[in-house]
Amino acid sequence: MRDVAVVGFAQAPAVRETHGTTNGVEMLVPVFHEVLGGLGLAKSDIDFWCSGSSDYVAGRAFSFIAAVDAIGAFPPINESHVEADAAWACYEAWVKIQTGEVDVALVYGFGKSSAGKLRRVMTMQLDPYTVAPLWPDSVSVAGLQARAGLDQGIWTEQQMAEVAVRSRADAKSNPLAQVKGDVTVDDLLTRPYLADPLRKHDCAPVTDGAAALVLAAEDRARELAERPAWITGIAHRVDSANLGGRDLTTSPSTVAAARDAGFDKVDVAELHAPFTHQELLLRNALGLNGSRINPSGGALCGNPMFSAGLIRIGEAARQISGGHADRALAHATSGPALQHNLVCLMEGRD
Amino acid sequence: MTSLSAPLNVEFDYTRSLGPVLGRFMTGLRDRRIEGVRGDDGRVHVPPVEYDPVTARKLTEWVEVAAAGTVRSWTWVSEPDDGQPLTRPFAWALIQLDGADTSILHAVDVPSSDDIHTGMRVRVRWATDPVGSIHDIACFEPGEAVETQAGQGEAVTMVTTPVRLAYTHTASAEETRYLNGLQEGRLLGQRCPACQKVYIPPRGACPTDGVPTVDEVELPDHGTVTTFCIVNVPFLGQRIAPPYVAAYVLLDGADIAFQHLILGCDASSVRMGMRVKAVWRPRAEWQQSLANIDHFEPSGEADAPFETYSQHL
Ligand SMILES: [Zn+2]
């Protein structure tokens, strides 16, 4: 295996609504400028580009092709795309570097979630024969999952509110976060339900955003970064598409991905949990005791569709490159109620 | 300047073939019968799955289950959305039907969130006119199963599932200038600061350099046909009777051609290098649209030499 590290990361501000198009160009141009400029790289130094986005979020076909304009794709570039969170584009880029064909890859994701009614757009992820025709939305599906854990005493509404309070407090030091500030558990629990048992604070905001991350192999990584975040393992697994056939209170696919990635113990974890109970679920499933969770504020404080998972990898890598952690775990999710999960483990080497 | 935006409603009626497993399930619903399939671990899956989720083996043992069961989880919908089973507030629930080991996701019709709880017994409320779709279960309601009159008929093999999604489509700042220019009968392009190429429509990023185009350039409404095709095939929504010509027109001073119609001459006389000019619709009909130019027609000038457009093909 080749040693591969995250050497650079940048993201657009997480905001409720941008004025740009759904092809992400306006958000991506400054993000590329920042991440390449920070590394002293030109676009010609990138051997492979890989993106994650969704035409359902954009409401148009081939939006990811229009996004390639932001790169400046002449002379022709080596490019690929996944219709999934860009964390999965990161996985593809890591595999591409393993083939030995490329040394430096730029991974990016974007989504203008505000273009449509996001919770309804996400219905298109569900079984198209027996579930999607009824139009259950993504918040309702998460509500079914939250209730299952509450009923079984696995988590409480109090604990869920505590996750929101801690996330918003941590987000105060994240200049790009959308939701931040000081709130109390008691106050949050007096607020009305959005989708009983979920209150507004239990749900990630609707966010427009984009992010880019640079991966480099071996000596190239050592040249580009003072303290590269070396990827020691990356894996993804998926649970059944049949919601009613799953135990929604745990996540076998996350556990399997973590095991395959070689998870043992980390200083910090960035978990892609768009709902408060999902953070509790993931912490339980992974046994994350004593690790700092989501110092960025996490997806609850900014959830740009199709880049929020990639941002977890970027934020975890930043903890290592900044010297705040030696070992970090990043998690990304896709599909309804944590159906598909990716775990990326990174370490700093001194 | 605010960017132009407009509603974009995306609609499509997907017709899906069901195959042997979902076909049998939907046929059952049409006949007011619910059938699941037994997995390798003995669990009965409702809705049925084609392959075992653990062993991936094809499953074939069918089991009829009851039209009543137990709520295993639920959430409340205070504002029902388009296409959902009920138009008044309702609960989504995961319901484990008697005889099944997995749960089915559906709506439960109760007056308020105080009237539902996990463990509650619910029964199917059948649709009045079943057709062989998940909507044949209109919803669930509190109570135990009651005898129903079984229907029968041809096997159900297809299902139609309409998708309706509403978006706001936003033009970029550059496209907005271009569209506003068209409203005034002007053709506004922009020049890339890096490669100096003139794009019409202007771009959020030059596809070569990845930087926004900036300097505005007004272009004339005449140019050169760089390449073209003769449309001979009729299609849904066609506005002109075939044969007619769709061509790439390179406006004088532009570096990228755009597609438009060439009318006002025999389709067979259109050629690469042909000089053309815009035929505008009446001013009263102008909008923020390239449709303000109805079509292009031959200008009568001598053909442009190949070298003048060879880099723009
Ligand atoms: Zn250029």
Side-chain angles (χ1 to χ4, degrees), chain A residues 19 21 26 43 56-57 59 69 72-74 112 115-117 120 128 130 133-136 140 144 147-148 151 195-196 244, chain B residues 8 16 73-76 81-82 84-85 92 102-103 105 118 134-135 163-164 166-168 170 172 203 205 207-208 210:
Chain A
H19 299 296
T21 60
E26 297 85 354
K43 73 178 187 196
Y56 279 110
V57 169
D69 274 8
F74 189 86
K112 185 177 177 175
K117 185 174 182 179
R120 180 175 173 88
T130 63
L134 304 171
W135 289 96
S140 294
L144 292 168
R147 170 96 53 210
D151 282 344
D196 186 350
Chain B
L8 172 67
R16 299 179 183 277
S73 187
W74 62 275
T75 183
W76 188 249
D81 201 1
D82 181 32
Q84 293 179 341
W92 289 118
T102 66
S103 297
L105 174 59
T118 299
I134 193 66
H135 289 287
V163 168
R164 314 225 183 293
Y167 298 88
T168 300
T170 307
S172 67
R203 321 276 291 219
T208 298

Side-chain angles (χ1 to χ4, degrees), chain A residues 179-246:
Chain A
V179 177
K180 59 181 87 175
D182 293 312
V183 283
T184 65
V185 169
D186 288 347
D187 178 36
L188 291 181
L189 289 177
T190 62
R191 301 197 187 167
Y193 288 116
L194 180 69
D196 186 350
L198 297 176
R199 296 178 173 87
K200 195 176 172 191
H201 68 256
D202 292 311
C203 311
V206 175
T207 308
D208 291 355
L213 175 149
V214 175
L215 294 179
E218 303 179 332
D219 285 347
R220 200 77 180 94
R222 284 181 276 269
E223 285 164 27
L224 288 168
E226 210 161 293
R227 195 168 198 249
W230 296 102
I231 295 175
T232 58
I234 183 168
H236 67 101
R237 290 290 180 272
V238 67
D239 289 310
S240 168
N242 187 4
L243 271 175
R246 286 169 53 193

Side-chain angles (χ1 to χ4, degrees), chain B residues 192-197 199 206 208-209 211:
Chain B
C192 169
C195 66
Q196 306 298 319
K197 288 207 162 96
Y199 289 95
C206 167
T208 298
D209 299 298
V211 295

